[in-house]
C-alpha cells in the first residue's frame, strides 16, 4: 500500500482562527462549537461542565473539542486566565460525504509544555501575516501540534486511563451494592497491580478510598434530607454494619452521622449586600435576620414584595448602613453568613465572632446557590432548584422568540449622576437576558459587568434597542435635555424599553423566577401593542 493511499483516509486540515487571549471573570452557558478547537491554558484556571460532569482546566492542560460539541458551562471565577485558542476545520477535496463528527470533549496534560508553547508562539506570529509562505508554515505547525496531541492521547490510553474511567462509572452506578473491589481489575482488562497504579495516577486515590468517598458524599445528602435513621442511610450507601459506617463517617468528616443530621436546624443570620435569604428560602431555611433596603423597596420591611410573605418573622437588617455585630449577637445565631457591605470598616470585629462564615462574591446566582448548599449540606436540593430555574428560562426563551428573533439590544441603568452600560458577561443581567432568554446584544458591546459614567459610550454606540433597568423615571426623563440622547436611533424610533423593574433581581432563585415572569409578560405585551 502506497503512502498516498494511506493518507487518503485522513482529511486535510485548515486553520480557521487563532487567538492568544487573557480572560477574567467570565461565565458562559450552552457553548457549541462548529469547528475543531484546540485550547491550551498557560496561566490561571477555569472550569467546565459536560454531561453534568465538571472538569478543571489549569495551566498545562489542553482542551480538545470536535464540531457540534456542546459545553453546558464554561467559567472562570478568578483570573486572569491566559490561553491559546486554535480553530481548524477539515478540508476534504473529494465529493464523498464525511461521517458525522463525534461529539467529544478531551482534556490532556501536555508532558512537553515548553516545546508545545514554542509552536503556539510561532503560530501566533505567523497567523498575523497574510503572505503565502507564512500560510504554509502555519499549516505545517498545525500538523506538528496535532502530532504531539496524538502522542499524548496514545500515552494516556497506554496508561489505561480509559479503562479506569469505565470502572469509575461502574462504581458510581453500583456503590449501593456490596461491591467487590477485586473484580474491578478484570473489568478494566488489567492485572491487579497495574490497575491500582493506573487508578491512583488517574484519581490520586486507591480504588477503596475512591469508593468510600463516593459513598460518604451520598450519605451526607441522605443524612441532611432523607429523614431516615443512620442505619437506613448506611444500608442505602452500601454498608450493612451501622457502627462501621459511623466510624468511617466520623474519620472522614470529623463528626458523627448523628451530629451531622442535627446541623440542618441552625439559626442563620445573613449579613450581605445581596438577598442571600432568597437562596436560603429556596432550600427551606428561613434566616432569623437578613438584609433589607427600606429606601429602595416600598414594603414595610424593605424586603422585595415577592419575599415579604416568606420572610415573616425574619428580622430586617438595614443594608443601607453599617450592621453592628453586637446587634447580631443578641439574636444568638448559630451561623452568620457575611459578605462585605460597602467595604465595611469593622471587618475585624466580625472575624472574632464564632460561627461567622465569610462569603465571597460570585459571577452568577448558581455559584451562590451551590456554595450555600455545600455549607448547609443541601446539595441535592440545590440541584433541583437549579433545574427548575433552567426549565423556566427555556420556556421563557421560547415564548420570547417573537421579540428576540430579530434586532440587537443594549442594557443600561440611569442614576442621578451617571449612566451605566451593562456588558455581555460577568453580571446576572447579562447572564439572564443575553445568555438565557435570547436577547441578542449589540455586537459592539464586548466588555464584562458594566461601564460606569458611560453616557458618551452609549451615544457613540447608537444602539438599536435599549432596556433601562433599576432607574427612576425622573432620571431617565432628565436625559431628554441632552440633544445627543434624543438623536440616538433607539430614542428616535421609540425603542427604549423601561418596565417597572425595581424588583427584578436575577441573583437568587425566587428573584430570578419573578424577573423571568414579569419580563416575559412585559415584552410580549409590547409586541402585541
Amino acid at each position: 500500500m502506497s503512502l498516498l493511499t494511506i493518507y487518503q483516509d485522513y482529511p486535510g486540515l485548515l486553520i480557521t482562527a487563532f487567538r492568544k487571549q487573557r480572560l477574567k471573570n467570565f461565565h458562559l452557558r450552552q457553548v457549541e462549537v462548529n469547528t475543531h478547537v484546540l485550547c491550551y491554558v498557560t496561566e490561571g484556571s477555569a472550569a467546565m461542565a459536560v454531561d453534568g460532569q465538571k472538569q478543571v482546566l489549569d495551566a498545562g492542560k489542553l482542551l480538545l473539542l470536535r464540531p457540534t460539541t456542546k459545553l453546558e458551562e464554561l467559567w472562570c471565577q478568578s483570573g486572569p486566565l491566559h490561553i491559546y485558542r486554535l480553530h481548524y476545520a477539515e478540508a476534504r477535496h473529494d465529493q464523498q460525504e464525511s461521517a458525522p463528527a463525534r461529539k467529544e470533549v478531551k482534556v490532556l496534560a501536555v508532558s512537553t509544555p515548553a516545546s508545545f508553547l514554542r509552536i503556539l508562539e510561532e503560530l501566533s506570529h505567523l497567523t498575523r501575516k497574510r503572505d503565502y509562505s507564512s500560510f504554509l508554515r502555519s499549516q505545517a505547525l498545525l500538523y506538528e501540534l496535532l502530532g504531539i496531541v496524538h502522542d499524548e492521547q496514545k500515552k494516556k490510553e497506554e496508561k489505561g486511563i480509559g479503562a479506569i474511567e469505565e470502572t469509575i462509572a461502574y462504581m458510581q452506578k453500583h456503590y449501593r451494592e456490596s461491591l467487590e473491589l477485586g473484580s474491578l481489575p478484570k473489568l478494566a482488562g488489567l492485572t491487579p497491580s497495574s490497575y491500582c497504579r493506573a487508578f491512583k495516577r488517574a484519581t490520586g486515590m486507591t480504588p477503596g478510598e475512591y469508593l468510600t468517598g463516593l459513598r460518604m458524599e451520598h450519605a451526607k445528602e441522605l443524612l441532611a434530607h432523607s429523614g431516615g435513621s443512620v442505619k437506613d442511610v448506611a444500608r442505602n450507601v452500601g454498608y450493612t454494619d451501622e457502627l462501621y459506617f459511623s466510624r468511617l463517617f466520623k474519620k472522614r468528616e470529623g463528626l458523627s452521622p448523628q451530629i451531622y443530621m442535627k446541623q440542618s436546624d441552625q439559626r442563620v443570620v445573613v449579613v450581605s449586600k445581596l438577598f442571600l435569604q432568597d437562596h436560603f428560602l429556596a432550600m427551606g431555611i428561613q434566616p432569623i435576620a437578613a438584609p433589607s433596603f427600606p429606601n429602595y423597596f416600598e414594603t414595610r420591611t424593605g424586603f422585595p414584595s415577592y419575599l415579604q410573605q416568606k420572610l415573616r418573622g425574619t428580622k430586617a437588617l438595614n443594608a443601607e448602613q453599617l450592621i453592628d455585630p453586637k446587634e447580631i449577637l443578641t439574636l444568638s445565631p448559630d451561623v452568620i453568613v457575611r459578605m462585605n457591605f460597602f467595604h465595611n470598616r469593622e471587618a475585624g470585629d466580625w472575624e472574632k465572632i464564632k460561627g461567622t462564615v465569610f462569603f465571597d462574591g460570585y459571577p452568577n446566582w448558581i455559584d451562590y446557590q451551590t456554595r450555600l448548599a455545600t455549607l448547609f449540606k443541601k446539595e441535592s436540593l440545590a440541584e433541583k432548584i437549579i433545574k427548575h430555574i433552567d426549565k423556566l428560562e427555556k420556556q421563557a426563551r421560547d415564548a420570547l422568540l417573537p421579540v428576540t428573533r430579530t434586532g440587537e439590544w443594549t442594557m443600561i441603568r440611569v442614576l442621578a449622576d451617571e449612566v451605566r452600560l451593562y456588558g455581555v458577561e460577568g453580571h446576572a443581567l447579562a447572564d439572564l437576558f443575553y445568555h438565557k432568554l435570547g436577547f441578542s446584544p449589540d455586537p459592539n458591546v464586548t466588555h464584562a459587568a458594566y461601564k460606569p459614567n458611560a453616557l458618551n459610550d452609549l451615544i457613540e454606540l447608537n444602539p438599536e434597542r435599549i432596556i433601562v433597568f433599576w432607574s427612576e423615571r425622573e432620571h431617565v426623563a432628565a436625559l431628554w435635555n441632552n440633544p445627543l440622547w434624543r438623536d440616538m436611533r433607539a430614542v428616535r424610533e421609540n425603542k427604549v424599553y423601561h418596565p417597572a423593574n425595581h424588583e427584578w433581581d436575577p441573583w437568587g432563585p425566587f428573584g430570578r423566577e419573578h424577573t423571568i415572569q414579569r419580563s416575559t409578560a412585559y415584552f410580549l405585551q409590547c409586541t402585541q401593542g
Side-chain angles (χ1 to χ4, degrees):
M1 184 181 293
S2 70
L3 189 63
L4 181 60
T5 304
I6 295 172
Y7 283 180
Q8 283 176 343
D9 293 335
Y10 302 101
L13 301 172
L14 183 69
I15 296 175
T16 59
F18 187 90
R19 298 284 186 275
K20 183 178 179 180
Q21 294 178 295
R22 180 182 183 273
L23 306 170
K24 190 175 182 180
N25 293 332
F26 66 88
H27 195 134
L28 304 175
R29 294 185 179 280
Q30 300 299 328
V31 180
E32 182 172 350
V33 298
N34 54 17
T35 64
H36 294 271
V37 178
L38 181 155
C39 184
Y40 184 65
V41 181
T42 60
E43 184 180 334
S45 66
M48 68 176 185
V50 182
D51 294 331
Q53 300 296 315
K54 293 184 179 179
Q55 293 195 58
V56 176
L57 301 173
D58 47 22
K61 291 287 181 66
L62 180 65
L63 171 65
L64 301 171
L65 305 174
R66 287 180 174 270
T68 70
T69 299
K70 287 185 179 179
L71 297 181
E72 294 163 9
E73 278 188 281
L74 184 64
W75 70 97
C76 174
Q77 295 174 357
S78 59
L81 178 74
H82 294 261
I83 64 169
Y84 290 85
R85 181 163 55 88
L86 172 65
H87 293 244
Y88 60 97
E90 296 182 4
R92 292 182 178 270
H93 298 289
D94 55 38
Q95 300 299 314
Q96 296 179 2
E97 240 181 72
S98 59
R102 288 174 292 145
K103 299 179 181 180
E104 280 189 62
V105 177
K106 291 185 179 179
V107 178
L108 298 172
V110 176
S111 59
T112 55
S115 59
F116 201 77
L117 190 56
R118 175 187 57 78
I119 298 171
L120 288 169
E121 273 295 328
E122 194 171 347
L123 260 178
S124 178
H125 174 71
L126 288 171
T127 51
R128 289 195 292 267
K129 298 183 177 182
R130 293 291 180 265
D131 59 281
Y132 189 55
S133 174
S134 297
F135 164 75
L136 292 175
R137 289 168 62 197
S138 63
Q139 286 297 116
L141 288 175
L142 168 65
Y143 285 99
E144 187 174 349
L145 274 179
L146 295 179
I148 295 173
V149 171
H150 175 76
D151 291 342
E152 296 288 357
Q153 289 176 313
K154 192 173 180 181
K155 287 177 188 176
K156 184 175 179 179
E157 290 168 359
E158 287 174 351
K159 290 178 180 178
I161 300 300
I164 296 303
E165 290 172 347
E166 288 182 14
T167 61
I168 287 175
Y170 182 84
M171 278 192 271
Q172 290 172 341
K173 186 176 180 180
H174 298 282
Y175 71 90
R176 293 183 180 87
E177 303 167 13
S178 181
L179 202 153
E180 179 56 58
L181 291 175
S183 64
L184 297 178
K186 185 176 180 180
L187 182 65
L190 298 170
T191 64
S193 58
S194 297
Y195 174 76
C196 289
R197 286 195 300 270
F199 194 99
K200 191 149 193 176
R201 277 197 302 268
T203 66
M205 294 178 278
T206 66
E209 290 169 343
Y210 183 89
L211 179 59
T212 299
L214 183 65
R215 285 172 166 172
M216 292 303 159
E217 287 303 311
H218 286 278
K220 286 195 292 185
E221 290 190 26
L222 292 172
L223 289 167
H225 311 305
S226 71
S229 66
V230 173
K231 185 176 182 179
D232 291 335
V233 171
R235 287 179 175 174
N236 268 308
V237 297
Y239 296 102
T240 55
D241 188 332
E242 178 187 347
L243 293 177
Y244 177 67
F245 163 74
S246 296
R247 286 197 300 270
L248 277 179
F249 190 95
K250 186 171 183 179
K251 182 178 179 181
R252 182 180 175 86
E253 303 299 329
L255 69 169
S256 69
Q258 290 83 356
I259 294 175
Y260 190 94
M261 291 174 75
K262 292 178 182 178
Q263 284 187 340
S264 298
D265 300 321
Q266 293 177 309
R267 291 173 60 82
V268 178
V269 169
V270 178
V271 182
S272 166
K273 63 182 179 181
L274 297 175
F275 284 117
L276 294 183
Q277 59 261 45
D278 188 331
H279 305 77
F280 279 108
L281 289 168
M283 296 187 295
I285 300 172
Q286 182 175 350
I288 59 173
S292 69
F293 289 84
N295 290 321
Y296 184 82
F297 295 107
E298 297 178 355
T299 58
R300 176 183 53 82
T301 58
F303 297 137
S305 61
Y306 58 86
L307 293 181
Q308 179 83 350
Q309 186 65 23
K310 296 179 176 65
L311 288 170
R312 288 186 63 185
T314 295
K315 180 180 177 63
L317 302 174
N318 189 345
E320 296 166 356
Q321 61 188 29
L322 296 180
I323 305 298
D324 186 353
K326 294 177 183 177
E327 177 187 2
I328 302 304
L329 287 175
T330 63
L331 303 174
S332 303
D334 297 314
V335 180
I336 302 170
V337 176
R338 182 182 181 276
M339 293 182 68
N340 283 335
F341 263 118
F342 311 115
H343 307 290
N344 272 1
R345 296 183 295 277
E346 83 294 359
D349 294 336
W350 290 98
E351 290 172 356
K352 298 173 186 176
I353 299 175
K354 184 179 179 182
T356 301
V357 177
F358 291 89
F359 208 78
D360 295 326
Y362 295 103
N364 68 71
W365 80 274
I366 288 180
D367 294 318
Y368 285 98
Q369 192 72 60
T370 303
R371 174 63 175 149
L372 288 169
T374 302
L375 282 173
F376 289 86
K377 317 298 185 291
K378 301 277 188 179
E379 293 92 341
S380 61
L381 191 53
E383 289 179 9
K384 293 178 182 177
I385 295 166
I386 293 166
K387 286 180 180 178
H388 171 67
I389 297 297
D390 181 63
K391 182 179 178 181
L392 292 179
E393 289 168 346
K394 289 174 179 175
Q395 290 172 344
R397 187 185 184 101
D398 291 341
L400 285 166
L401 277 174
V403 179
T404 60
R405 64 163 52 100
T406 58
E408 295 161 355
W409 302 76
T410 300
M411 301 188 299
I412 67 170
R413 183 180 185 183
V414 182
L415 300 171
D417 55 354
E418 70 167 319
V419 173
R420 295 178 180 177
L421 177 60
Y422 288 95
V424 292
E425 60 188 17
H427 194 281
L429 280 180
D431 173 62
L432 179 58
F433 283 87
Y434 288 151
H435 301 293
K436 295 297 185 181
L437 300 185
F439 289 81
S440 298
D442 189 299
N444 293 310
V445 175
T446 58
H447 61 277
Y450 66 81
K451 283 185 181 179
N453 302 307
L455 179 56
N456 290 335
D457 297 90
L458 181 68
I459 291 169
E460 184 178 350
L461 187 66
N462 194 22
E464 181 182 354
R465 293 173 174 84
I466 296 174
I467 311 176
V468 182
F469 285 93
W470 306 326
S471 306
E472 301 294 339
R473 296 281 173 185
E474 58 268 27
H475 296 157
V476 178
L479 287 174
W480 284 86
N481 295 324
N482 187 331
L484 296 175
W485 164 268
R486 296 197 302 269
D487 195 46
M488 283 196 302
R489 177 172 46 163
V491 179
R492 290 197 319 269
E493 297 177 1
N494 197 28
K495 291 182 179 177
V496 177
Y497 302 86
H498 187 188
N501 55 27
H502 272 67
E503 291 197 341
W504 292 13
D505 184 3
W507 287 105
F510 285 118
R512 201 170 180 91
E513 183 169 351
H514 176 82
T515 303
I516 291 167
Q517 292 171 347
R518 296 302 174 91
S519 61
T520 302
Y522 171 81
F523 284 107
L524 290 178
Q525 186 177 14
C526 287
T527 58
Q528 292 167 4

